[in-house]
Amino acid sequence: MGFSSKDCDLLSDISLMKLSSLINEEDTIIFISALAPCKDNIMYEKNILMLKNFIKYIEGRKIKHIVYLSSDA
């Protein structure tokens, strides 16, 4: 199952609540999200914010695996 920024805006921590009923402890999550190519510090900070919001969302939840793919963005 995949989600676009229209489905779940990772820049908004509240938007992640849409995923609550879809993620369970047997899931493997592949996190691939970035504003790319990253052209300035504002875009860089937004990329970091997306990951921070996701980490805050999954904190304390049981999830089987998380794979984080990063880029130069």
Side-chain angles (χ1 to χ4, degrees):
M1 184 180 306
F3 302 97
S4 71
S5 60
K6 292 177 186 174
D7 300 320
C8 182
D9 179 5
L10 295 175
L11 293 172
S12 165
D13 59 346
I14 294 170
S15 182
L16 285 160
M17 293 306 165
K18 295 177 184 178
L19 305 179
S20 291
S21 64
L22 302 174
I23 295 175
N24 65 59
E25 62 185 38
E26 291 299 314
D27 287 339
T28 296
I29 296 173
I30 302 172
F31 187 95
I32 307 168
S33 184
L35 300 173
C38 187
K39 297 182 186 273
D40 56 34
N41 283 341
I42 293 171
M43 288 180 78
Y44 173 76
E45 289 296 326
K46 285 182 178 181
N47 285 332
I48 299 298
L49 179 60
M50 286 189 276
L51 180 58
K52 283 183 175 181
N53 284 339
F54 182 73
I55 289 170
K56 186 166 63 170
Y57 167 74
I58 63 167
E59 194 170 34
R61 295 175 187 267
K62 290 186 177 190
I63 297 169
K64 190 171 186 176
H65 293 100
I66 296 176
V67 177
Y68 175 68
L69 296 179
S70 184
S71 71
D72 63 346

